[in-house]
Amino acid sequence: MTENEDYLARIGTLIRDARQHSGLTQAQLATELGTSQSAVNRIEKGQQNLTLDTVSKIGSALDSELVGLGSSGPSNLRVQGETTLSGAIDVKSSKNAGVALLCASLLNTGTTVLRKVARIEEVNRLLEVLTSIGVKTTWLNAENDLELRVPATLDLSSIDADAARRTRSIIMFLGPLLHRAGTFQLPYAGGCDLGTRTVEPHMSALRHFGLDVVATDHHYQATTSAVTGARRPIVLTERGDTVTENALLAAALYEGETLIRNASPNYMVQDLCFFLEKLGVTIEGIGTTTLRVQGKAQISTDVDYAPSEDPIEAMSLISAAIVTRSSITVRRVPIEFMEIELALLEEMGLRHDCSEEYMAENGRTRLVDVTTHPSDLKAPIDKIHPMPFPGLNIDNLPFFAVIAATAEGQTMLHDWVYENRAIYLTELTKLGANVKLMDPHRVLIEGPTRWSGAELVCPPALRPAVVILLAMLAAKGTSVLRNVYVINRGYEDLAARLNKLGARIETFRDI
């Protein structure tokens, strides 16, 4: 294979993975690009020469920074491995809570101030959407405090469709907007078709508030009608986090009582409930699967709220310590949402200390400082699988792949929630791990691993991408992780913060 053919094949594989992660078929991507399915097929097989303009258009359609036009290309990381970390690091505020609170700001025509908001790409896209419809957004200081002022009338006709399609969180605009506009259009990300598992539970919940949604060409066409007859409890068909949040956002501006059953009690849902209470909404059952909400017909109040810390980032940092056999202190860990993970790690042999509990700035979430110690781990007896809270968090499952690869013995991971996410964990084999894909949901990992450096393209899935970066910290020699936009969507300055602990990670761009 010539150097050019190898380059085209790598780009083709990257495009295929990004397309599949976006939920698009080859035919749907071809429609987006104004070309044929056969052309897309040739591109993914590395059999088609590509211009920078074509690659840029593909990246835009798939919400993946495949190439950056102008002075530089996509951001990459160069990692000098066999790192030992030391020191202490604070967990940043929850990305998922921050996203929900940005959507919730649409409920309030007063001034909303959110403290220490994660400045990540997902938040940037939502702010672009909010600004386009008339919301005034202002970063107040270097602490990432954010002020939002929502006008009495939103200009939904001017919505930034490109930014909206680049965030899956846009679906959580439906809950607050159904009370503020009788008829409106909302763009949706490619692949989010009505009737699919990820979207239909939202529609089922919001129909209780009179919302009717029809999927048109890349839009939700929404119409709201008055609710008549006796109100029934909303029974969520899926105990999803964003589904529960959407139902809560709709219930907050409904002047009456709403009963939500099979609700998610997860960390970002609790943060949203605490925020809504500060807006004057009454909520019973926070932290349980049954929520009783007494909403208000209008909300106009000045509110100041600090979302709690992110348990997924906490798991990321603890995993970094484990794989590098390091002693570090991870401060401000939301222990209620990490207890199962830490208990499982104890079973595997992790030695660690926890401080006394203290309160987060929201006054409700319990925090601890966790200090890790170098440990010889053994594979758990049973498979590792996620469960709804208070079980092991689905977003923390991938970190057990890199942890299991450092442990003695065989570990089975069962990612039963997501289709095909497990396949990205097999990329660890390129760094020396023994990871076998059993089926689209299960991988078998045998350790311990003698990690060795390699060059990889970042997979289009956030948590597996970070898992690869953590393995590179332990790998002998130099590794390169290309196109890390997906990591920047969910983490703020992760490489720089790891460097403060002793990692040697360099950010660079291809010219």
Side-chain angles (χ1 to χ4, degrees):
M1 180 180 288
T2 68
E3 184 175 341
N4 184 59
E5 288 172 335
D6 178 62
Y7 173 78
L8 288 174
R10 288 167 59 197
I11 291 293
T13 299
L14 181 63
I15 290 170
R16 181 204 63 201
D17 289 348
R19 174 182 59 77
Q20 291 175 345
H21 184 67
S22 296
L24 292 177
T25 65
Q26 285 186 343
Q28 288 170 325
L29 177 57
T31 300
E32 289 269 355
L33 301 175
T35 187
S36 64
Q37 181 178 349
S38 60
V40 172
N41 187 50
R42 289 195 301 273
I43 289 170
E44 293 186 356
K45 290 181 177 179
Q47 299 170 353
Q48 179 85 35
N49 286 322
L50 298 169
T51 65
L52 286 177
D53 184 56
T54 299
V55 176
S56 181
K57 288 178 179 177
I58 294 172
S60 178
L62 298 177
D63 187 16
S64 178
E65 190 188 52
L66 298 170
V67 68
L69 296 181
S71 61
S72 61
S75 181
N76 313 306
L77 298 176
R78 184 179 290 113
V79 184
Q80 301 295 329
E82 293 187 295
T83 301
T84 299
L85 306 177
S86 62
I89 186 171
D90 288 350
V91 177
K92 285 187 174 288
S93 69
S94 163
K95 163 240 181 187
N96 287 324
V99 165
L101 296 177
L102 287 178
C103 298
S105 71
L106 289 170
L107 300 169
N108 182 28
T109 55
T111 299
T112 298
V113 175
L114 301 176
R115 300 293 177 184
K116 298 181 180 179
V117 177
R119 294 193 77 160
I120 56 176
E121 292 301 325
E122 184 81 358
V123 166
N124 292 339
R125 299 294 81 75
L126 278 175
L127 290 179
E128 289 168 358
V129 176
L130 289 169
T131 300
S132 72
I133 61 176
V135 180
K136 184 178 180 182
T137 65
T138 306
W139 291 104
L140 298 177
N141 49 43
E143 297 297 313
N144 291 357
D145 295 341
L146 178 65
E147 180 184 270
L148 301 107
R149 293 177 179 269
V150 179
T153 303
L154 295 168
D155 184 10
L156 296 178
S157 63
S158 299
I159 193 167
D160 186 336
D162 289 337
R165 291 192 183 103
R166 299 190 74 189
T167 167
R168 291 171 180 82
S169 307
I170 195 66
I171 195 170
M172 284 195 293
F173 276 37
L174 288 172
L177 289 183
L178 71 86
H179 295 292
R180 304 202 59 181
T183 301
F184 61 95
Q185 274 193 347
L186 197 63
Y188 62 87
C192 292
D193 297 321
L194 287 175
T196 63
R197 182 184 66 83
T198 55
V199 176
E200 177 54 29
H202 291 262
M203 305 307 162
S204 177
L206 296 179
R207 288 186 193 109
H208 287 258
F209 300 94
L211 183 70
D212 180 62
V213 178
V214 177
T216 60
D217 186 19
H218 302 299
H219 286 86
Y220 296 127
Q221 183 63 50
T223 304
T224 306
S225 56
V227 178
T228 59
R231 291 266 293 168
R232 294 183 296 113
I234 298 174
V235 180
L236 301 181
T237 56
E238 175 184 286
R239 196 185 299 174
D241 301 324
T242 57
V243 175
T244 303
E245 288 167 332
N246 233 344
L248 280 166
L249 293 171
L253 274 182
Y254 175 79
E255 191 175 20
E257 185 177 277
T258 301
L259 189 63
I260 306 172
R261 299 196 187 278
N262 195 33
S264 166
N266 211 354
Y267 63 96
M268 69 292 283
V269 176
Q270 291 195 29
D271 250 322
L272 176 59
C273 288
F274 301 151
F275 174 75
L276 293 178
E277 286 186 318
K278 296 198 77 171
L279 293 180
V281 178
T282 302
I283 306 176
E284 297 177 11
I286 298 174
T288 75
T289 58
T290 300
L291 298 173
R292 190 179 299 273
V293 184
Q294 186 70 42
K296 302 176 66 177
Q298 185 177 0
I299 297 174
S300 182
T301 185
D302 294 342
V303 63
D304 189 311
Y305 184 77
S308 182
E309 282 69 15
D310 194 328
I312 315 305
E313 180 174 288
M315 184 69 192
S316 308
L317 298 170
I318 291 170
S319 300
I322 292 171
V323 73
T324 59
R325 295 183 62 83
S326 301
S327 179
I328 67 172
T329 297
V330 182
R331 297 183 298 222
R332 307 188 67 81
V333 175
I335 187 60
E336 183 179 3
F337 306 100
M338 282 288 295
E339 286 175 325
I340 299 297
E341 284 83 342
L342 287 174
L344 179 55
L345 289 171
E346 278 186 37
E347 280 188 18
M348 296 177 69
L350 176 67
R351 296 184 298 112
H352 72 283
D353 301 312
C354 284
S355 71
E356 294 293 323
E357 293 182 1
Y358 55 97
M359 282 294 168
E361 288 186 33
N362 65 11
R364 308 285 286 271
T365 304
R366 296 180 289 114
L367 305 178
V368 299
D369 300 340
V370 176
T371 300
T372 64
H373 304 290
S375 306
D376 295 319
L377 303 187
K378 292 186 178 180
I381 297 174
D382 296 324
K383 71 178 185 298
I384 301 176
H385 64 280
M387 289 293 286
F389 177 79
L392 191 147
N393 193 297
I394 178 60
D395 285 333
N396 278 338
L397 182 71
F399 296 107
F400 280 94
V402 71
I403 292 169
T406 70
E408 183 78 36
Q410 284 190 342
T411 302
M412 174 75 76
L413 297 189
H414 186 191
D415 190 349
W416 58 268
V417 177
Y418 292 117
E419 300 291 339
N420 296 315
R421 186 175 72 167
I423 193 172
Y424 298 120
L425 299 176
T426 63
E427 291 289 281
L428 290 171
T429 61
K430 297 176 182 177
L431 295 166
N434 185 349
V435 182
K436 296 179 182 178
L437 185 69
M438 310 301 289
D439 56 49
H441 294 278
R442 297 183 302 155
V443 291
L444 185 65
I445 303 165
E446 184 158 1
T449 299
R450 296 182 63 181
W451 300 103
S452 57
E455 180 172 329
L456 283 79
V457 175
C458 212
L462 173 58
R463 309 307 172 184
V466 176
V467 162
I468 291 170
L469 174 61
L470 299 185
M472 287 179 170
L473 296 178
K476 183 178 181 179
T478 301
S479 298
V480 173
L481 186 58
R482 293 193 173 273
N483 190 12
V484 295
Y485 176 76
V486 67
I487 293 178
N488 296 334
R489 286 187 65 171
Y491 289 79
E492 182 182 355
D493 300 328
L494 180 60
R497 294 169 66 223
L498 288 171
N499 284 344
K500 289 182 179 179
L501 295 174
R504 294 168 291 173
I505 307 172
E506 174 193 356
T507 301
F508 71 97
R509 292 178 180 267
D510 294 320
I511 303 300

